[in-house]
Amino acid sequence: MWCERCKQRPATVHITQVVNNHKTESHLCVTCAQESGVAPGKELGFLFEPNFSFHNLLTSLMESEFGPQSALSPYQAGIERCSTCGLTFTDFRQIGLLGCGDCYQAFGRFLGPLFRRVHGHISHTGKVPKRTGGKVRIKKEIEELRRKLQEAIAREAYEEAARLRDEIRAKEEKLK
Amino acid sequence: MDLRKKIKELLPGWLEGPAPEGDVVMSSRIRLARNLQGYPFPHQADGKALETVVEKVKNALKRTTFTLKRLDDMGQSDRLLLVEQYLVSPDLLKNPSHRGVMVNPEQTVAIMLNEEDHMRIQSILPGLALQEAWEEANRTDDLVEAELDYAFTEKAGYLTTCPTNVGTGLRASVMLHLPALQMVGQVKKVLSVLSNVGLSVRGIYGEGTEAAGNLYQISNQVTLGLTEEEIIGKIVSVTKQVMDQERSAREALLGKDSRLQLEDRVHRAYGILSEARLITSEEALKLWDHVLLGVKLGLISGVTVEQVNELFFLIRPAILQHLIGSDLPPHERDYYRAEVIRNHLKTKRG
């Protein structure tokens, strides 16, 4: 999304104003937000915190995601509840915080689009804990071995390829 | 009482040791957000669940050199000291009950317990050392993980209280000192580029709401879909570019057109800082900034960069209070602050 004032920079400041039940939204870049006086600029420019929190930003992101235009009515979304900790989706929208690990499962279908907007991705590719993520770790190792196998075949290094294939099989056994 | 010894005790331990690229980069910090499986996140948890988390993490690390400091067991001034040493965040103090921090003897790693997440593993080192800080935080993470199950899924990674931290749970940041870019009016331009590559920049605050000290923090915003190495690599490469810009600006300022003005400015700052009898932390930080630049550029002699870096901590209220050893009203604080600064700058160091 581009800044609606200068149309040159990405909009990173999202402002929702409600006056007499009438809601207006504006999406600006940092520079225009400061110039139009809606963000505290001060002498050094980009000083937003501590008044500008991630939670507020998140709430406004969700507003645009699940707001009145969304097919899903706020009522429907609001009554969804995490059965483990009891947090409702309405709570989450208000505070921007999840209540427990199981909330990720309970609100999964709402979180996917949010992840995409915040992070630009929806899947983790980083570190995997050895205990909780035992199988994930093995899967990642298998992926890596498969990649090496393809390379070995391309180089016509068949002895190495055979060894890699056995290694992959052994790891696949562990997953069963 | 040996004042020098007392100062050493109050300065954060992580400040010791070499600072690579220390002329521009003040410090590097890694933070990993982690939660234990099967317990509600802190803001949804009752006292019993919070206490269980504290005990579990403490037990997981019982064969290590980490020690637990409980906020419940200390007074407010000791808690503020931890904040000023960068070992805990101000947020941890909002509700001290069942909150604490586990720290290693070198104070390079601190694990905040029951802040926004069950655990916030922080590693902080002087200079540009993000990779080293990551390795240290990662080792600590492995130690805990060998004993406890984390809230983790294959798809979303480490599950965090706020979805902005999900995935790696990693926030990597560097603190930069950019006085020359500010003086040549380029700091805003150079740093505004960073928001286009998914990094965030902010000024570091002094005591009030005014920014001071020309200190800026660069950190990653995206935590999901990139590996830890990719996130760190991006910040390091961007930091190096900003470093080059700052160094060119410093060289430009040393040119014949502006050198005299620059010398005048840093020496005026040094004159006030080393002779004032009353000084607020805000004024001290502004002068500190110019003095630090003057020492780094070799314009001010007889004082080391380490000495001036230490001043950054000594002017802060809680550290100052501990140094003087009694509760001080603000106007007396200004008197003692001026005295501490004078003495610290006059101590010859080889």
Side-chain angles (χ1 to χ4, degrees), chain A residues 42-44 46-47 49 55 58 92 95-101 104 119 121-127 129-132 136 139, chain B residues 41 43 138 141-142 145-146 149-150 152 154-155 157-158 160-161 163-164 167 182 202-203 205 211 216 223-228:
Chain A
K42 300 285 181 202
E43 48 171 342
L44 290 170
F46 17 73
L47 307 174
E49 289 178 340
H55 299 166
L58 207 60
F92 171 57
I95 57 177
L97 300 174
L98 294 158
C100 70
Y104 279 87
H119 300 287
H121 304 269
I122 51 166
S123 301
H124 177 58
T125 53
K127 183 178 177 179
K130 288 188 191 74
R131 288 159 60 97
T132 330
V136 187
K139 277 188 200 163
Chain B
F41 297 154
H43 72 103
N138 193 23
D141 186 41
D142 287 343
E145 184 216 287
D149 285 333
Y150 282 149
F152 178 90
E154 181 175 352
K155 183 122 171 93
Y158 293 93
T160 53
T161 308
T164 53
Q182 167 70 18
R202 66 182 188 97
Y205 284 93
Y216 296 88
T223 57
L224 180 69
L226 297 173
T227 65
E228 289 81 358

Short mmCIF file of all heavy atoms in Angstrom, two decimals, chain A residues 42-44 46-47 49 55 58 92 95-101 104 119 121-127 129-132 136 139, chain B residues 41 43 138 141-142 145-146 149-150 152 154-155 157-158 160-161 163-164 167 182 202-203 205 211 216 223-228:
data_model
loop_
_atom_site.label_atom_id
_atom_site.label_comp_id
_atom_site.label_asym_id
_atom_site.label_seq_id
_atom_site.Cartn_x
_atom_site.Cartn_y
_atom_site.Cartn_z
N LYS A 42 9.11 15.78 16.31
CA LYS A 42 10.25 16.32 17.06
C LYS A 42 11.39 16.61 16.12
O LYS A 42 11.31 16.40 14.91
CB LYS A 42 10.70 15.37 18.18
CG LYS A 42 9.63 15.09 19.20
CD LYS A 42 9.42 16.27 20.13
CE LYS A 42 8.34 15.91 21.13
NZ LYS A 42 7.71 17.05 21.72
N GLU A 43 12.52 17.07 16.68
CA GLU A 43 13.59 17.52 15.82
C GLU A 43 14.26 16.39 15.04
O GLU A 43 14.79 16.60 13.97
CB GLU A 43 14.64 18.27 16.64
CG GLU A 43 15.03 17.51 17.89
CD GLU A 43 16.21 18.13 18.60
OE1 GLU A 43 16.92 18.92 17.98
OE2 GLU A 43 16.42 17.81 19.77
N LEU A 44 14.21 15.18 15.57
CA LEU A 44 15.01 14.14 14.93
C LEU A 44 14.25 13.23 13.98
O LEU A 44 14.78 12.24 13.51
CB LEU A 44 15.74 13.31 15.98
CG LEU A 44 16.84 14.11 16.68
CD1 LEU A 44 17.35 13.34 17.87
CD2 LEU A 44 17.96 14.42 15.72
N PHE A 46 12.17 10.44 13.08
CA PHE A 46 11.40 9.19 13.14
C PHE A 46 11.20 8.66 14.55
O PHE A 46 11.43 7.51 14.83
CB PHE A 46 12.12 8.15 12.30
CG PHE A 46 13.51 8.56 12.04
CD1 PHE A 46 14.45 8.51 13.05
CD2 PHE A 46 13.87 9.07 10.80
CE1 PHE A 46 15.73 8.96 12.82
CE2 PHE A 46 15.15 9.52 10.58
CZ PHE A 46 16.08 9.46 11.59
N LEU A 47 10.78 9.54 15.46
CA LEU A 47 10.65 9.09 16.83
C LEU A 47 9.20 8.79 17.16
O LEU A 47 8.46 9.69 17.50
CB LEU A 47 11.18 10.16 17.76
CG LEU A 47 12.60 10.58 17.40
CD1 LEU A 47 13.02 11.74 18.25
CD2 LEU A 47 13.54 9.41 17.57
N GLU A 49 7.96 5.81 19.12
CA GLU A 49 7.73 5.20 20.41
C GLU A 49 7.92 6.26 21.49
O GLU A 49 8.61 7.24 21.25
CB GLU A 49 8.69 4.03 20.61
CG GLU A 49 8.27 2.90 19.71
CD GLU A 49 9.20 1.72 19.80
OE1 GLU A 49 10.34 1.89 20.24
OE2 GLU A 49 8.77 0.66 19.41
N HIS A 55 0.97 -2.91 19.21
CA HIS A 55 -0.38 -3.43 19.41
C HIS A 55 -1.41 -2.57 18.70
O HIS A 55 -2.33 -3.08 18.07
CB HIS A 55 -0.70 -3.51 20.90
CG HIS A 55 0.25 -4.42 21.63
ND1 HIS A 55 0.35 -4.45 22.98
CD2 HIS A 55 1.13 -5.32 21.16
CE1 HIS A 55 1.27 -5.34 23.32
NE2 HIS A 55 1.75 -5.87 22.23
N LEU A 58 -1.20 -3.23 15.08
CA LEU A 58 -1.78 -4.53 14.79
C LEU A 58 -3.30 -4.45 14.75
O LEU A 58 -3.95 -4.98 13.86
CB LEU A 58 -1.37 -5.48 15.92
CG LEU A 58 -1.28 -6.93 15.58
CD1 LEU A 58 -0.28 -7.14 14.48
CD2 LEU A 58 -0.87 -7.71 16.80
N PHE A 92 -8.68 -10.60 21.41
CA PHE A 92 -7.44 -10.52 20.64
C PHE A 92 -7.40 -9.24 19.81
O PHE A 92 -6.39 -8.55 19.75
CB PHE A 92 -7.27 -11.75 19.76
CG PHE A 92 -6.13 -11.65 18.79
CD1 PHE A 92 -4.83 -11.41 19.23
CD2 PHE A 92 -6.34 -11.79 17.42
CE1 PHE A 92 -3.78 -11.30 18.34
CE2 PHE A 92 -5.29 -11.68 16.53
CZ PHE A 92 -4.01 -11.44 16.99
N ILE A 95 -6.67 -6.28 22.30
CA ILE A 95 -5.37 -6.14 22.97
C ILE A 95 -4.19 -6.49 22.07
O ILE A 95 -3.06 -6.16 22.39
CB ILE A 95 -5.29 -6.98 24.28
CG1 ILE A 95 -5.57 -8.45 24.00
CG2 ILE A 95 -6.28 -6.43 25.32
CD1 ILE A 95 -5.45 -9.33 25.23
N GLY A 96 -4.46 -7.15 20.94
CA GLY A 96 -3.37 -7.48 20.02
C GLY A 96 -2.46 -8.58 20.52
O GLY A 96 -1.39 -8.80 19.98
N LEU A 97 -2.87 -9.27 21.59
CA LEU A 97 -2.05 -10.34 22.16
C LEU A 97 -2.84 -11.64 22.19
O LEU A 97 -4.04 -11.64 22.47
CB LEU A 97 -1.63 -9.99 23.59
CG LEU A 97 -0.82 -8.72 23.81
CD1 LEU A 97 -0.63 -8.47 25.30
CD2 LEU A 97 0.53 -8.80 23.11
N LEU A 98 -2.16 -12.75 21.91
CA LEU A 98 -2.80 -14.06 22.02
C LEU A 98 -2.65 -14.57 23.45
O LEU A 98 -1.77 -14.11 24.18
CB LEU A 98 -2.17 -15.02 21.02
CG LEU A 98 -2.46 -14.61 19.56
CD1 LEU A 98 -1.45 -15.21 18.61
CD2 LEU A 98 -3.88 -15.02 19.17
N GLY A 99 -3.53 -15.53 23.83
CA GLY A 99 -3.54 -15.95 25.24
C GLY A 99 -2.70 -17.16 25.56
O GLY A 99 -2.25 -17.33 26.69
N CYS A 100 -2.50 -18.05 24.57
CA CYS A 100 -1.69 -19.25 24.81
C CYS A 100 -1.29 -19.83 23.46
O CYS A 100 -1.77 -19.37 22.42
CB CYS A 100 -2.46 -20.27 25.64
SG CYS A 100 -3.82 -21.05 24.75
N GLY A 101 -0.45 -20.85 23.48
CA GLY A 101 0.01 -21.46 22.24
C GLY A 101 -1.12 -22.00 21.39
O GLY A 101 -1.09 -21.93 20.16
N TYR A 104 -3.09 -20.07 18.46
CA TYR A 104 -2.63 -20.06 17.08
C TYR A 104 -3.42 -21.04 16.23
O TYR A 104 -3.68 -20.82 15.05
CB TYR A 104 -1.12 -20.39 17.01
CG TYR A 104 -0.25 -19.18 17.30
CD1 TYR A 104 0.10 -18.86 18.59
CD2 TYR A 104 0.18 -18.36 16.26
CE1 TYR A 104 0.88 -17.75 18.86
CE2 TYR A 104 0.96 -17.25 16.52
CZ TYR A 104 1.32 -16.94 17.81
OH TYR A 104 2.07 -15.83 18.07
N HIS A 119 4.52 -9.79 8.21
CA HIS A 119 5.84 -10.37 7.93
C HIS A 119 6.12 -10.60 6.44
O HIS A 119 7.25 -10.84 6.07
CB HIS A 119 5.98 -11.71 8.66
CG HIS A 119 5.86 -11.61 10.15
ND1 HIS A 119 6.84 -11.07 10.93
CD2 HIS A 119 4.87 -11.97 10.99
CE1 HIS A 119 6.47 -11.11 12.21
NE2 HIS A 119 5.27 -11.64 12.27
N HIS A 121 5.32 -13.20 5.02
CA HIS A 121 5.45 -14.66 4.89
C HIS A 121 4.44 -15.31 5.82
O HIS A 121 3.95 -14.67 6.74
CB HIS A 121 6.84 -15.13 5.34
CG HIS A 121 7.97 -14.48 4.62
ND1 HIS A 121 8.53 -15.00 3.49
CD2 HIS A 121 8.66 -13.35 4.89
CE1 HIS A 121 9.52 -14.21 3.09
NE2 HIS A 121 9.61 -13.20 3.93
N ILE A 122 4.16 -16.62 5.60
CA ILE A 122 3.28 -17.30 6.54
C ILE A 122 3.93 -18.54 7.16
O ILE A 122 3.36 -19.16 8.05
CB ILE A 122 1.92 -17.69 5.91
CG1 ILE A 122 2.14 -18.45 4.61
CG2 ILE A 122 1.05 -16.47 5.68
CD1 ILE A 122 0.89 -19.16 4.12
N SER A 123 5.14 -18.91 6.69
CA SER A 123 5.77 -20.12 7.22
C SER A 123 7.15 -19.86 7.82
O SER A 123 7.94 -19.11 7.26
CB SER A 123 5.91 -21.18 6.12
OG SER A 123 4.64 -21.49 5.62
N HIS A 124 7.39 -20.53 8.94
CA HIS A 124 8.67 -20.41 9.65
C HIS A 124 9.76 -21.18 8.90
O HIS A 124 9.54 -22.30 8.45
CB HIS A 124 8.48 -21.00 11.05
CG HIS A 124 9.71 -21.02 11.89
ND1 HIS A 124 10.42 -19.88 12.18
CD2 HIS A 124 10.36 -22.04 12.51
CE1 HIS A 124 11.45 -20.19 12.95
NE2 HIS A 124 11.44 -21.49 13.16
N THR A 125 10.94 -20.58 8.78
CA THR A 125 12.05 -21.28 8.12
C THR A 125 13.30 -21.30 9.01
O THR A 125 14.35 -21.76 8.61
CB THR A 125 12.45 -20.59 6.79
OG1 THR A 125 12.70 -19.21 7.05
CG2 THR A 125 11.35 -20.71 5.75
N GLY A 126 13.18 -20.77 10.23
CA GLY A 126 14.36 -20.66 11.08
C GLY A 126 14.59 -21.86 11.98
O GLY A 126 14.21 -22.99 11.67
N LYS A 127 15.18 -21.59 13.13
CA LYS A 127 15.57 -22.61 14.09
C LYS A 127 14.39 -23.50 14.50
O LYS A 127 13.27 -23.04 14.62
CB LYS A 127 16.15 -21.93 15.34
CG LYS A 127 16.68 -22.90 16.38
CD LYS A 127 17.31 -22.19 17.58
CE LYS A 127 17.74 -23.23 18.61
NZ LYS A 127 18.39 -22.62 19.79
N PRO A 129 13.43 -26.35 17.55
CA PRO A 129 13.91 -26.94 18.81
C PRO A 129 14.02 -28.46 18.68
O PRO A 129 13.21 -29.10 18.01
CB PRO A 129 12.85 -26.55 19.83
CG PRO A 129 11.64 -26.21 19.06
CD PRO A 129 12.09 -25.78 17.69
N LYS A 130 15.05 -29.04 19.29
CA LYS A 130 15.32 -30.47 19.14
C LYS A 130 14.19 -31.32 19.70
O LYS A 130 13.82 -32.32 19.14
CB LYS A 130 16.63 -30.84 19.82
CG LYS A 130 17.84 -30.35 19.09
CD LYS A 130 19.11 -30.92 19.71
CE LYS A 130 20.35 -30.24 19.16
NZ LYS A 130 20.54 -28.89 19.69
N ARG A 131 13.62 -30.91 20.87
CA ARG A 131 12.62 -31.75 21.52
C ARG A 131 11.24 -31.61 20.88
O ARG A 131 10.74 -32.53 20.24
CB ARG A 131 12.50 -31.39 23.00
CG ARG A 131 13.67 -31.85 23.81
CD ARG A 131 13.73 -31.03 25.07
NE ARG A 131 12.53 -31.18 25.86
CZ ARG A 131 12.43 -32.03 26.87
NH1 ARG A 131 13.45 -32.80 27.19
NH2 ARG A 131 11.33 -32.09 27.58
N THR A 132 10.66 -30.40 21.02
CA THR A 132 9.31 -30.17 20.52
C THR A 132 9.25 -30.38 19.01
O THR A 132 8.25 -30.83 18.47
CB THR A 132 8.84 -28.73 20.84
OG1 THR A 132 9.47 -28.33 22.05
CG2 THR A 132 7.35 -28.65 20.96
N VAL A 136 10.07 -32.21 12.80
CA VAL A 136 10.29 -31.12 11.85
C VAL A 136 11.77 -31.06 11.48
O VAL A 136 12.15 -30.87 10.33
CB VAL A 136 9.89 -29.77 12.49
CG1 VAL A 136 9.96 -28.67 11.47
CG2 VAL A 136 8.52 -29.85 13.11
N LYS A 139 12.59 -33.75 9.07
CA LYS A 139 12.07 -33.41 7.74
C LYS A 139 12.99 -32.42 7.03
O LYS A 139 13.24 -32.54 5.84
CB LYS A 139 10.67 -32.79 7.86
CG LYS A 139 9.56 -33.80 7.96
CD LYS A 139 8.22 -33.08 7.88
CE LYS A 139 7.11 -33.95 8.45
NZ LYS A 139 5.91 -33.16 8.75
N PHE B 41 0.01 -17.62 28.24
CA PHE B 41 0.99 -16.54 28.16
C PHE B 41 0.80 -15.62 29.38
O PHE B 41 -0.30 -15.54 29.93
CB PHE B 41 0.82 -15.76 26.86
CG PHE B 41 1.08 -16.59 25.61
CD1 PHE B 41 0.48 -16.26 24.39
CD2 PHE B 41 1.93 -17.69 25.64
CE1 PHE B 41 0.71 -17.02 23.24
CE2 PHE B 41 2.18 -18.45 24.50
CZ PHE B 41 1.56 -18.11 23.29
N HIS B 43 0.09 -12.56 30.29
CA HIS B 43 -1.03 -11.66 30.56
C HIS B 43 -2.33 -12.42 30.82
O HIS B 43 -3.29 -11.85 31.33
CB HIS B 43 -1.22 -10.66 29.41
CG HIS B 43 -1.78 -11.27 28.16
ND1 HIS B 43 -3.09 -11.10 27.78
CD2 HIS B 43 -1.23 -12.07 27.22
CE1 HIS B 43 -3.30 -11.77 26.65
NE2 HIS B 43 -2.18 -12.35 26.30
N ASN B 138 21.71 -18.22 21.35
CA ASN B 138 21.33 -19.53 20.81
C ASN B 138 21.78 -20.67 21.73
O ASN B 138 21.03 -21.61 21.99
CB ASN B 138 21.96 -19.68 19.41
CG ASN B 138 21.37 -20.85 18.64
OD1 ASN B 138 20.26 -21.29 18.93
ND2 ASN B 138 22.13 -21.36 17.68
N ASP B 141 19.52 -20.66 24.67
CA ASP B 141 18.25 -21.24 24.24
C ASP B 141 18.34 -22.77 24.22
O ASP B 141 17.45 -23.46 24.69
CB ASP B 141 17.93 -20.69 22.84
CG ASP B 141 16.57 -21.12 22.34
OD1 ASP B 141 15.61 -21.11 23.14
OD2 ASP B 141 16.45 -21.47 21.15
N ASP B 142 19.48 -23.31 23.70
CA ASP B 142 19.68 -24.77 23.67
C ASP B 142 19.68 -25.36 25.08
O ASP B 142 19.16 -26.45 25.29
CB ASP B 142 21.01 -25.11 22.98
CG ASP B 142 20.94 -24.90 21.47
OD1 ASP B 142 19.81 -24.81 20.94
OD2 ASP B 142 22.01 -24.81 20.83
N GLU B 145 16.11 -25.45 26.24
CA GLU B 145 15.34 -26.35 25.39
C GLU B 145 15.66 -27.82 25.67
O GLU B 145 14.81 -28.69 25.46
CB GLU B 145 15.69 -25.99 23.94
CG GLU B 145 14.94 -26.72 22.90
CD GLU B 145 15.83 -26.99 21.71
OE1 GLU B 145 16.12 -26.03 20.96
OE2 GLU B 145 16.21 -28.15 21.53
N ALA B 146 16.87 -28.09 26.18
CA ALA B 146 17.24 -29.47 26.52
C ALA B 146 16.40 -29.98 27.68
O ALA B 146 16.26 -31.18 27.89
CB ALA B 146 18.73 -29.55 26.85
N ASP B 149 9.84 -28.14 27.18
CA ASP B 149 9.18 -28.10 25.87
C ASP B 149 8.67 -26.69 25.59
O ASP B 149 7.98 -26.09 26.41
CB ASP B 149 7.98 -29.06 25.86
CG ASP B 149 8.43 -30.50 25.77
OD1 ASP B 149 9.53 -30.73 25.22
OD2 ASP B 149 7.70 -31.39 26.23
N TYR B 150 9.02 -26.18 24.41
CA TYR B 150 8.56 -24.86 24.00
C TYR B 150 7.24 -24.95 23.25
O TYR B 150 6.94 -25.97 22.62
CB TYR B 150 9.59 -24.22 23.06
CG TYR B 150 10.81 -23.63 23.72
CD1 TYR B 150 12.03 -23.62 23.04
CD2 TYR B 150 10.74 -23.04 24.98
CE1 TYR B 150 13.16 -23.05 23.61
CE2 TYR B 150 11.87 -22.48 25.55
CZ TYR B 150 13.08 -22.49 24.87
OH TYR B 150 14.19 -21.93 25.43
N PHE B 152 5.69 -24.43 20.13
CA PHE B 152 6.30 -24.37 18.79
C PHE B 152 5.45 -25.17 17.82
O PHE B 152 4.94 -26.23 18.18
CB PHE B 152 7.72 -24.98 18.86
CG PHE B 152 8.43 -25.02 17.53
CD1 PHE B 152 9.22 -23.96 17.10
CD2 PHE B 152 8.29 -26.13 16.69
CE1 PHE B 152 9.86 -23.99 15.88
CE2 PHE B 152 8.94 -26.17 15.45
CZ PHE B 152 9.73 -25.10 15.05
N GLU B 154 5.40 -26.45 13.50
CA GLU B 154 6.23 -26.52 12.30
C GLU B 154 5.97 -25.29 11.41
O GLU B 154 6.90 -24.71 10.87
CB GLU B 154 5.87 -27.80 11.55
CG GLU B 154 6.68 -28.01 10.31
CD GLU B 154 6.39 -29.36 9.67
OE1 GLU B 154 5.67 -30.17 10.28
OE2 GLU B 154 6.88 -29.58 8.55
N LYS B 155 4.71 -24.91 11.29
CA LYS B 155 4.35 -23.84 10.36
C LYS B 155 4.68 -22.44 10.89
O LYS B 155 5.28 -21.64 10.19
CB LYS B 155 2.85 -23.96 10.06
CG LYS B 155 2.34 -22.98 9.05
CD LYS B 155 1.70 -23.71 7.89
CE LYS B 155 0.98 -22.75 6.97
NZ LYS B 155 1.79 -22.29 5.87
N GLY B 157 6.44 -21.69 13.73
CA GLY B 157 7.68 -21.55 14.48
C GLY B 157 7.42 -21.36 15.96
O GLY B 157 6.47 -21.93 16.51
N TYR B 158 8.23 -20.53 16.60
CA TYR B 158 8.06 -20.27 18.04
C TYR B 158 6.83 -19.40 18.23
O TYR B 158 6.71 -18.34 17.60
CB TYR B 158 9.31 -19.58 18.62
CG TYR B 158 10.51 -20.49 18.60
CD1 TYR B 158 11.41 -20.49 17.53
CD2 TYR B 158 10.74 -21.38 19.64
CE1 TYR B 158 12.49 -21.35 17.50
CE2 TYR B 158 11.82 -22.24 19.63
CZ TYR B 158 12.70 -22.23 18.55
OH TYR B 158 13.78 -23.08 18.52
N THR B 160 4.49 -16.85 19.99
CA THR B 160 4.73 -15.73 20.89
C THR B 160 3.41 -15.05 21.24
O THR B 160 2.43 -15.18 20.52
CB THR B 160 5.66 -14.70 20.23
OG1 THR B 160 5.11 -14.35 18.96
CG2 THR B 160 7.05 -15.27 20.03
N THR B 161 3.40 -14.31 22.32
CA THR B 161 2.19 -13.63 22.77
C THR B 161 1.70 -12.64 21.72
O THR B 161 0.52 -12.57 21.41
CB THR B 161 2.46 -12.90 24.11
OG1 THR B 161 3.03 -13.85 25.01
CG2 THR B 161 1.18 -12.34 24.70
N PRO B 163 1.69 -11.53 17.80
CA PRO B 163 1.99 -12.15 16.50
C PRO B 163 3.10 -11.44 15.71
O PRO B 163 3.59 -11.99 14.74
CB PRO B 163 0.67 -12.04 15.73
CG PRO B 163 -0.36 -11.62 16.71
CD PRO B 163 0.32 -11.02 17.88
N THR B 164 3.50 -10.25 16.15
CA THR B 164 4.60 -9.57 15.45
C THR B 164 5.95 -10.21 15.75
O THR B 164 6.95 -9.87 15.14
CB THR B 164 4.69 -8.08 15.82
OG1 THR B 164 4.75 -7.98 17.25
CG2 THR B 164 3.52 -7.29 15.31
N GLY B 167 7.46 -16.95 14.80
CA GLY B 167 8.45 -17.51 13.87
C GLY B 167 9.76 -17.72 14.60
O GLY B 167 9.88 -18.61 15.43
N GLN B 182 24.21 13.74 11.72
CA GLN B 182 23.26 14.72 12.22
C GLN B 182 23.76 16.14 11.91
O GLN B 182 23.01 16.97 11.41
CB GLN B 182 23.06 14.51 13.72
CG GLN B 182 22.34 15.62 14.45
CD GLN B 182 20.87 15.70 14.08
OE1 GLN B 182 20.29 14.76 13.54
NE2 GLN B 182 20.26 16.83 14.35
N ARG B 202 14.84 3.80 15.34
CA ARG B 202 14.30 4.80 16.27
C ARG B 202 15.41 5.47 17.04
O ARG B 202 16.51 4.94 17.17
CB ARG B 202 13.28 4.17 17.21
CG ARG B 202 13.86 3.15 18.15
CD ARG B 202 12.74 2.57 19.01
NE ARG B 202 13.29 1.73 20.05
CZ ARG B 202 13.52 2.13 21.29
NH1 ARG B 202 13.27 3.37 21.65
NH2 ARG B 202 14.01 1.30 22.18
N GLY B 203 15.10 6.69 17.51
CA GLY B 203 16.05 7.40 18.36
C GLY B 203 15.96 6.85 19.76
O GLY B 203 14.95 6.33 20.17
N TYR B 205 15.84 7.49 23.72
CA TYR B 205 15.43 8.61 24.54
C TYR B 205 16.37 8.90 25.69
O TYR B 205 16.98 8.01 26.23
CB TYR B 205 14.02 8.36 25.09
CG TYR B 205 13.00 8.55 24.04
CD1 TYR B 205 12.55 7.49 23.29
CD2 TYR B 205 12.54 9.83 23.76
CE1 TYR B 205 11.63 7.68 22.28
CE2 TYR B 205 11.62 10.02 22.76
CZ TYR B 205 11.16 8.95 22.02
OH TYR B 205 10.27 9.14 21.03
N ALA B 211 14.66 13.36 22.18
CA ALA B 211 15.77 12.48 21.83
C ALA B 211 17.06 13.22 22.11
O ALA B 211 17.13 14.42 21.98
CB ALA B 211 15.71 12.12 20.36
N TYR B 216 20.91 5.97 17.74
CA TYR B 216 19.83 5.38 16.96
C TYR B 216 19.89 3.87 17.02
O TYR B 216 20.98 3.29 17.04
CB TYR B 216 19.94 5.83 15.49
CG TYR B 216 19.76 7.30 15.34
CD1 TYR B 216 20.86 8.15 15.45
CD2 TYR B 216 18.50 7.86 15.15
CE1 TYR B 216 20.71 9.53 15.36
CE2 TYR B 216 18.33 9.23 15.04
CZ TYR B 216 19.45 10.05 15.15
OH TYR B 216 19.29 11.40 15.07
N THR B 223 9.88 -11.28 11.60
CA THR B 223 10.44 -12.38 12.38
C THR B 223 10.05 -13.75 11.80
O THR B 223 10.55 -14.77 12.24
CB THR B 223 9.94 -12.34 13.84
OG1 THR B 223 8.50 -12.37 13.84
CG2 THR B 223 10.39 -11.07 14.54
N LEU B 224 9.15 -13.74 10.82
CA LEU B 224 8.62 -14.99 10.27
C LEU B 224 9.02 -15.13 8.80
O LEU B 224 8.91 -14.16 8.04
CB LEU B 224 7.09 -15.00 10.39
CG LEU B 224 6.33 -16.22 9.88
CD1 LEU B 224 6.60 -17.43 10.75
CD2 LEU B 224 4.84 -15.94 9.82
N GLY B 225 9.48 -16.33 8.42
CA GLY B 225 9.76 -16.58 7.01
C GLY B 225 11.20 -16.32 6.61
O GLY B 225 11.57 -16.51 5.47
N LEU B 226 12.00 -15.85 7.54
CA LEU B 226 13.44 -15.68 7.30
C LEU B 226 14.17 -16.49 8.35
O LEU B 226 13.66 -16.66 9.46
CB LEU B 226 13.85 -14.21 7.43
CG LEU B 226 13.25 -13.19 6.46
CD1 LEU B 226 13.64 -11.78 6.87
CD2 LEU B 226 13.72 -13.47 5.04
N THR B 227 15.39 -16.96 8.02
CA THR B 227 16.16 -17.65 9.05
C THR B 227 16.86 -16.61 9.93
O THR B 227 16.98 -15.44 9.54
CB THR B 227 17.24 -18.57 8.44
OG1 THR B 227 18.20 -17.74 7.77
CG2 THR B 227 16.65 -19.55 7.45
N GLU B 228 17.31 -17.04 11.09
CA GLU B 228 18.01 -16.14 12.00
C GLU B 228 19.22 -15.52 11.30
O GLU B 228 19.49 -14.33 11.45
CB GLU B 228 18.46 -16.88 13.27
CG GLU B 228 17.32 -17.28 14.21
CD GLU B 228 16.58 -18.55 13.79
OE1 GLU B 228 16.92 -19.14 12.74
OE2 GLU B 228 15.66 -18.96 14.52
#
